[in-house]
Amino acid sequence: LERITIRDVAKEAGVGIGTVSRALNGGVIKKETREKILKAVKKLGYAPNWYARILAGGKTRRVMLITPEIRTEFHWRVIKSFDEYLDQLDFETVIYPIISENRIAKIRSGSCITEEVDAVVLCTLTLNNVFGSEYEPIKPMVLLETAQENYDSIDLDNTLGGEMAAKILLSHEAKDFFVLHTREKDPFRISQSISARLEGFRSGLKKAGICLSPQNILHSEIFSGPSHDQIVQIFEKYRNPAIFALIDNFALPILDIASSLKKIPGKDFFLVGYDDQTWTEEAGLTTIHQPIEEMGIQAAQLVVQKLQNPGLSAQQIRLAPKPVIRNTA
Amino acid sequence: LERITIRDVAKEAGVGIGTVSRALNGGVIKKETREKILKAVKKLGYAPNWYARILAGGKTRRVMLITPEIRTEFHWRVIKSFDEYLDQLDFETVIYPIISENRIAKIRSGSCITEEVDAVVLCTLTLNNVFGSEYEPIKPMVLLETAQENYDSIDLDNTLGGEMAAKILLSHEAKDFFVLHTREKDPFRISQSISARLEGFRSGLKKAGICLSPQNILHSEIFSGPSHDQIVQIFEKYRNPAIFALIDNFALPILDIASSLKKIPGKDFFLVGYDDQTWTEEAGLTTIHQPIEEMGIQAAQLVVQKLQNPGLSAQQIRLAPKPVIRNTA
DNA sequence: CTGAAAGCGCTTACAG
DNA sequence: CTGAAAGCGCTTACAG
């Protein structure tokens, strides 16, 4: 099986190889020539050799998305929308999950795929997390779900989201407030966003003169969620508890257990989630909506803009959460 | 900043560039020359350019792992162990999740990263799924969690696992058997393994003269799990129900609800999961253990073997599940 | 607007 | 054992 090269395309189209290259990379070219070449490309099924292209100083049309997490619905949807948008513009996205420490080391040593992309987007991660403190970026970089001075970024006002949750929960006759929080060891996997939600919630309560007690913050593993015993205790000890789940997931066991206990949501207890995940509508969960797909798409747009115009000064886009009132509060 | 090339090293060491290349890639070379070159490399801080190396016919030392799912604990752990093993051998693994259909199209068109790796491993996916029916592989290919004639593969005997679950559940005084199953629309995301577990379970029951009724198979979304109502109904209608969760996740709401209902696991109901996920031990869930990390590592080993010796005939490795008896059955 | 040519930094037969 | 040379498949000034 012989590899089809730019030379074959040039011959098929009856032009020089430089012209083919220009047609493919958006250089100045007559429209007809361009079409002739594109036809030849299609006919032969030509695909460029990235190594040659890069070695010769060209662009990869690849964007790397570095993320600490790939198991949550949030990340799945962000990544999916990001990828689909860029795909239409004929970019490829290389997903690089930090599943182990060694993957950070690899990035820092510069011996990995990072080197073969035109731009990098950092999702839920700070520059410091990934590159260490002394680092100056050599290629376009966009932050997703975080923000930092002088960098393009797209994120959501999670503090505001936390305040919204507080407001909703305060509108009922609840005296006891609880937060379902994550527990993380890996420093780079601790989410600033989630902390911001908590802070927003805390300050929202404070404005109403309520102080959130540390022991009312229940930590649990992100994928197993709060334990049965913790939840049952809340229902046993407190009348009309008000619970803020920092991620929708954590609300699921609450709903299950409350239901078996014949506790009526929105009456015997109050519950607000965060994210507006797909299953929450059917479950009737009141939650704080994040426009997840929009975040992915806007991040992609920032990347494309930066690639087209590297001199552009940094844009920091901050979206707003929206409360979605359903049955649980 | 000028890049240091093999040419600089050659000059510094007073040899030709071909000799430098040989010294670096383990070709035949006089010991002293080699040392001279290594000294020059160190002095200049030379690092090879991968693009040039690969373009000139070298290897990428990259392996692509194609997977339909990245959100489950199973996939996370398989990928992690695979990646860590290969990392030690100085390989890089490129994770390529099929988050959208367009990613399959990209692979088939040959216009994506697939082309820039030394080998491919297909996880939970058949060749047909990914490449379509008429396809002949051009590079080493390993199957993980699936198997196919003439291909290297590593998988687990899920049918046996299903039978084990049946055996455990049959050892109690249960008359009514239930299965918690997934619901999938995307054809390429339907897992053969999970179906095999069901078949094993079914045949295990049949041997005891019990026929699994289709209406006792409850389907639900993989990340929201079986609904509260479905579970409560089981507990209300049946005495001592025996439940097989095709994935450990699905057992979690059962445990929560049963507990609120004061049903004692292993006495009032029987429950067996599948996977032996990390949280199950603490939860006391009886389950069928899969050696997940081992699967990842063995897949990596198959890849390395195949790369070293492409002529090797296909190896099909099939691991056995192990029952882990805890409190729930 | 386009072709011919130089060059990116390496590997690998090919002679010696 | 080693050097000189061809070539991997592209991009991009440089002339026209």
Side-chain angles (χ1 to χ4, degrees), chain B residues 153-185:
Chain B
S153 67
I154 162 89
D155 72 343
L156 183 106
D157 191 340
N158 281 285
T159 310
L160 178 58
E163 286 171 5
M164 287 172 172
K167 197 167 168 190
I168 296 171
L169 254 17
L170 284 165
S171 72
H172 298 283
E173 26 246 68
K175 289 204 313 285
D176 302 289
F177 294 84
F178 298 86
V179 170
L180 305 181
H181 200 346
T182 55
R183 172 162 53 213
E184 263 312 342
K185 310 160 291 252

Side-chain angles (χ1 to χ4, degrees), chain B residues 16 19 22 28-30 33 55-56:
Chain B
T19 310
R22 259 167 249 132
V28 239
I29 202 166
K30 202 174 13 162
T33 319
L55 181 60

